[in-house]
Amino acid sequence: MDQSILKPIVEATYLTTENAWRYRAILRYFYEQHEKMRQYLFPEEVFAHLKEYEPFRDYTLEMLTSDLEQLVKWKNLIARQETGKVRTIEEFKKKRFRYQCSPYTVEIERMVNSLEKMGDSFGGSLEKTLFDRLYESIKKVFELIKQSKLQMTSDEECYRMWEDIFDYFKKIIQNSADYIAYLNSENIEERMMTEAFLAYKDALTKYLRDFIISLQKTSLQIELLLEDMTPNMVQPFVTKVVHYKQNIPRLEDIAQTTDDLIKDHFETWWSLKEWFLGRNGNESELSMLQNKTNETIRRMTRFAQRLGERHHNFRSRKKDYLHLAEWFSRMDDVKDAHKLSATVFGVFHTKHLFADIKSTEDIYRDIWEEAPTELTIKPRVRHYREKTKPSALQDHKLEKEMMMNQYLQEKEKEQEMIRQYMNGNKIVFRELPTIDANIRKTLLSWLGKAMANKDYTAKIETGKKIKVKKVDDSTITLRSEDGVLQMPNFEIHFT
């Protein structure tokens, strides 16, 4: 991690300190004059500007001098002593200064100015032409490399093409992210609930669909170009871009070497490729942008549908009922009137309709074409119980005896195998050969049961008493049919 990230930005202190309103007004004036190509300002003209506003009515030149000195300490201003037009020794002793805002201050004020214009809502846009311009810029580089014309192209032209590519790329990322966030913000969702949204729904949907069409049309061409441009192909182009940047005259020393700059530019290029193509099989940011845009269209359509239904519910049904009344009055047969009533208002005498598993997935199949389902209705009585037939008790004594005998035989066999591993009245884990998995489980269960007690003793299934002893602090290997276990050097003694 770069150590500069961990350091506080002193230049931003003036934004939140106690007298921030004075410092901000001073630096805003410096920034505005900087944008007009006026680099140096005298305290008198700053003071004259501030006195034009009501909050600075009681502001004095001494207070301004103190504020300017503080801003110099925070590195927001650069002070330079004016010695060119000194008329008296007294003026020279007073150290008449003129001030220039620092580069950090210019960028901070530029950012704050844009934040003030943005307001509380997100900006951004979905410009469909940005993808076309990005494609043309990448295609131009690809053709230069493919046609071996890169050596004849100047470093400046390569640098300009690099800047064009990543200017368009940054605009796509920033504008699309801001606009999607704008559409998903809480204020916009509240406005989508109002009737006024219906007037803008069609224009907004068309805007998003045009962007999706342009994205689908152009992004595939960009992806094909990026897949064809291997690192070996891009290497000479990146080298020329770095060479041009290094040849720009700068007074300060550049800490980064040529290899570091080439590496940084390659990482920037890979970020472009990963945005379009994805990384390690994961979904690309382009696909996520497309999915979010489609989801936004669906969401707006749902809002519009709900508003339409709400508007429809408040509409008068008087004409509909009059039309139905005339329809009923023209019928001569009451059965036809019943059928019309069932069609319009539903069936009156049936409370529930139940059908078993559908026999077909045909959505046009009517309910009366399905086979009937028979249901047995049980009485809703508290003491109702279903009748059951008494069954005879079955004697499983023989099966139990057989299972018991089989269990005892297995235990006897297991004890016989354990006796084979005993050395006198103890079992030494270090001396054990490869043992059966069941024997391993039994020995370890004995070990765990004994170690659970303070005196390391336990009573096992056979009624015998065992004691566990740790020989030393070494580690031994216990081998069994189902694996190898590293364990302390234990012994089990039968007492």
Side-chain angles (χ1 to χ4, degrees), residues 140 142 149 173 180 182 189 200 204 249 286 347 373 420 482 495:
K140 190 184 297 183
F142 179 77
K149 294 181 180 180
I173 294 176
I180 294 296
Y182 164 75
E189 287 196 359
Y200 298 100
L204 192 56
L286 175 70
V347 182
T373 301
Q420 294 177 7
D482 58 345
T495 60

Side-chain angles (χ1 to χ4, degrees), residues 93-109:
K93 287 182 178 179
K94 285 184 178 179
K95 294 185 179 180
R96 178 178 166 84
F97 288 101
R98 56 178 181 169
Y99 298 88
Q100 176 190 17
C101 57
S102 64
Y104 258 57
T105 306
V106 172
E107 293 301 325
I108 292 173
E109 280 298 313

Side-chain angles (χ1 to χ4, degrees), residues 405-419 462:
N405 290 332
Q406 183 181 354
Y407 173 74
L408 293 175
Q409 290 175 5
E410 291 177 354
K411 282 295 178 183
E412 182 61 31
K413 184 179 178 181
E414 182 180 307
Q415 293 298 323
E416 183 63 30
M417 293 180 68
I418 290 175
R419 281 193 289 271
T462 59

Side-chain angles (χ1 to χ4, degrees), residues 241-485:
V241 173
V242 171
H243 187 258
Y244 176 80
K245 292 183 73 172
Q246 286 182 319
N247 287 334
I248 298 175
R250 298 188 187 279
L251 297 178
E252 66 272 10
D253 295 331
I254 299 176
Q256 286 185 305
T257 62
T258 303
D259 293 337
D260 292 337
L261 287 171
I262 291 175
K263 182 181 178 182
D264 290 345
H265 282 67
F266 256 111
E267 289 179 356
T268 306
W269 179 263
W270 279 113
S271 66
L272 170 67
K273 291 190 69 171
E274 289 172 0
W275 198 87
F276 280 94
L277 303 176
R279 183 179 184 180
N280 298 330
N282 296 326
E283 187 180 13
S284 66
E285 296 293 332
L286 175 70
S287 302
M288 294 176 65
L289 173 61
Q290 185 174 344
N291 294 336
K292 287 179 182 177
T293 310
N294 285 328
E295 178 59 31
T296 303
I297 294 174
R298 287 193 291 269
R299 191 162 56 91
M300 288 192 303
T301 306
R302 288 196 298 269
F303 278 126
Q305 183 179 0
R306 290 172 189 170
L307 286 173
E309 291 174 353
R310 189 191 306 170
H311 181 73
H312 182 73
N313 290 336
F314 290 109
R315 188 172 60 88
S316 175
R317 304 292 300 274
K318 181 178 179 180
K319 293 183 179 179
D320 297 340
Y321 290 130
L322 286 174
H323 177 73
L324 284 173
E326 292 177 2
W327 202 349
F328 276 107
S329 66
R330 291 195 299 268
M331 289 188 172
D332 299 327
D333 191 352
V334 69
K335 292 183 179 180
D336 294 336
H338 287 326
K339 291 180 181 179
L340 178 60
S341 173
T343 304
V344 175
F345 302 109
V347 182
F348 286 99
H349 61 277
T350 303
K351 293 184 178 179
H352 300 283
L353 286 176
F354 177 83
D356 208 347
I357 300 173
K358 294 190 296 183
S359 60
T360 177
E361 294 294 332
D362 186 3
I363 61 174
Y364 300 105
R365 188 179 180 90
D366 295 321
I367 186 67
W368 48 80
E369 296 178 14
E370 293 286 337
T373 301
E374 294 184 2
L375 291 177
T376 302
I377 308 299
K378 298 179 182 179
R380 293 187 179 181
V381 181
R382 181 181 300 176
H383 302 291
Y384 172 76
R385 297 287 185 274
E386 292 187 20
K387 292 182 179 179
T388 57
K389 293 182 179 180
S391 58
L393 294 175
Q394 296 182 1
D395 187 8
H396 299 286
K397 184 177 180 181
L398 183 60
E399 289 85 347
K400 291 179 180 179
E401 290 179 355
M402 292 176 62
M403 292 178 66
M404 178 60 73
N405 290 332
Q406 183 181 354
Y407 173 74
L408 293 175
Q409 290 175 5
E410 291 177 354
K411 282 295 178 183
E412 182 61 31
K413 184 179 178 181
E414 182 180 307
Q415 293 298 323
E416 183 63 30
M417 293 180 68
I418 290 175
R419 281 193 289 271
Q420 294 177 7
Y421 299 134
M422 291 178 63
N423 183 2
N425 67 334
K426 63 181 178 179
I427 295 177
V428 182
F429 281 92
R430 183 189 291 276
E431 299 174 357
L432 290 178
T434 302
I435 60 176
D436 184 73
N438 293 326
I439 301 298
R440 175 187 58 77
K441 292 178 183 178
T442 302
L443 293 178
L444 292 180
S445 67
W446 290 356
L447 190 66
K449 190 181 296 185
M451 292 183 68
N453 299 321
K454 291 182 179 180
D455 55 356
Y456 282 18
T457 61
K459 195 172 183 180
I460 59 177
E461 298 87 354
T462 59
K464 295 182 179 180
K465 196 173 182 181
I466 62 170
K467 183 177 180 63
V468 173
K469 292 184 179 180
K470 188 176 182 182
V471 180
D472 51 35
D473 294 331
S474 63
T475 302
I476 64 171
T477 303
L478 178 63
R479 304 180 186 277
S480 62
E481 295 175 350
D482 58 345
V484 178
L485 173 66

